[in-house]
Amino acid sequence: NGSEVTGGIAVEIVSAPAGFTVRGSSFIDNWVPGLRTSGVDATVTDCKFVGNSVGWFCFSSNCTVVGSQFVGNDSYGIYGGGYTQVIDSLFLRNRNHGLFTWDPAILINSVFAGNTGQFGAGIAGFGGVYVLNSVFFGNSADSMGGMAVGESGATIRNSIFWSNSDNTGFTQHAQFAGLGTINVSHSIIQGWTGSWGGIGNSGADPLFVDPLGPDGNVGTQDDDLRLSLGSPAINAGDPNTSFLPATDLDGHARILCGRVDIGAYEFGI
């Protein structure tokens, strides 16, 4: 709890009680993974992983992330080798992938922005990915800048994929693609062609407040990916979606008057 690990010394955990939690700690500028867990199911809450070779190397174990930040890590924000659950978290300007996982992953109320890599810069998921009320913005890769999935496919609900790019430009393929079926509904996807089917989807500009922030750079802390007045994401989500959280990324009520917005933030609170 409340620790800081910096300057090249990592924390490795290979044995711990069930429900082990790292809370309120920072892992900064380590030339090895900031945190490595092997065969240990662990939860990271309110932590920061900044400038490490890998933020969290989660090997042969399940990992849960709540209210944490993975920023500017050299290889991965998280490398996952077990079931991965991400809630209320930020993945910004990581190189290679924001999140890479071989096993199932669920992402709720989270933002992936400014990550880079060869493919799936935001997330590369090969065990099935469930994306709910999240935003993928400004991620870039040679292929599938936002999200790349394997044969297990993905499910996308109430989410925004915008301004992600690859060698096709800012197309639907640049937002997400993969080997398996992608089931998408009530979401906004740049370049949307309708080829994945689903209901309630749109290719309209989500009208973020200030997606690049005052510094004009994607994936930095001054970016504002909240919705502005007139956004097509307002009241356009599905309030009956499985795993829908009670609050948004700011901690405000998620369902208002029986409606829910698309993206990580509710409008007008």
Side-chain angles (χ1 to χ4, degrees), residues 23-94:
R23 183 179 290 108
S25 298
S26 298
F27 301 81
I28 300 173
D29 293 336
N30 296 288
W31 52 266
V32 291
L35 175 64
R36 177 187 172 100
T37 53
S38 180
V40 175
D41 295 343
T43 298
V44 164
T45 300
D46 297 327
C47 290
K48 293 182 179 181
F49 297 78
V50 181
N52 306 286
S53 67
V54 177
W56 181 7
F57 190 92
C58 183
F59 182 72
S60 296
S61 52
N62 300 326
C63 51
T64 300
V65 179
V66 181
S68 295
Q69 299 180 23
F70 296 79
V71 181
N73 297 287
D74 287 337
S75 294
Y76 309 92
I78 296 176
Y79 182 98
Y83 175 77
T84 301
Q85 183 173 221
V86 175
I87 303 170
D88 296 342
S89 294
L90 304 178
F91 291 74
L92 308 177
R93 299 178 74 87
N94 299 286

Side-chain angles (χ1 to χ4, degrees), residues 122-158:
I123 174 174
F126 293 93
V129 181
Y130 187 95
V131 181
L132 175 62
N133 280 102
S134 293
V135 174
F136 286 69
F137 179 83
N139 303 287
S140 61
D142 296 337
S143 182
M144 299 169 284
M147 178 174 72
V149 299
E151 294 180 353
S152 296
T155 297
I156 300 170
R157 297 286 185 271
N158 299 352

Side-chain angles (χ1 to χ4, degrees), residues 206-213 223-229 267:
L207 300 179
F208 294 123
V209 171
D210 191 1
L212 298 181
D223 299 351
D224 192 342
L225 294 171
R226 295 170 182 82
L227 306 174
S228 62
L229 182 65
F267 170 75

Side-chain angles (χ1 to χ4, degrees), residues 61-220:
S61 52
N62 300 326
C63 51
T64 300
V65 179
V66 181
S68 295
Q69 299 180 23
F70 296 79
V71 181
N73 297 287
D74 287 337
S75 294
Y76 309 92
I78 296 176
Y79 182 98
Y83 175 77
T84 301
Q85 183 173 221
V86 175
I87 303 170
D88 296 342
S89 294
L90 304 178
F91 291 74
L92 308 177
R93 299 178 74 87
N94 299 286
R95 289 171 287 279
N96 212 13
H97 305 280
L99 169 62
F100 181 98
T101 177
W102 293 107
D103 292 286
I106 180 169
L107 318 175
I108 302 173
N109 277 354
S110 294
V111 171
F112 293 74
N115 301 288
T116 58
Q118 291 186 326
F119 66 94
I123 174 174
F126 293 93
V129 181
Y130 187 95
V131 181
L132 175 62
N133 280 102
S134 293
V135 174
F136 286 69
F137 179 83
N139 303 287
S140 61
D142 296 337
S143 182
M144 299 169 284
M147 178 174 72
V149 299
E151 294 180 353
S152 296
T155 297
I156 300 170
R157 297 286 185 271
N158 299 352
S159 294
I160 300 173
F161 285 75
W162 199 261
S163 199
N164 303 291
S165 61
D166 67 6
N167 56 17
T168 68
F170 295 88
T171 63
Q172 176 181 284
H173 182 274
Q175 309 312 308
F176 57 77
L179 300 175
T181 299
I182 299 177
N183 186 318
V184 54
S185 69
H186 297 90
S187 294
I188 292 178
I189 299 96
Q190 187 168 8
W192 178 246
T193 67
S195 62
W196 288 110
I199 60 174
N201 299 313
S202 168
D205 189 333
L207 300 179
F208 294 123
V209 171
D210 191 1
L212 298 181
D215 68 6
N217 296 316
V218 66
T220 53

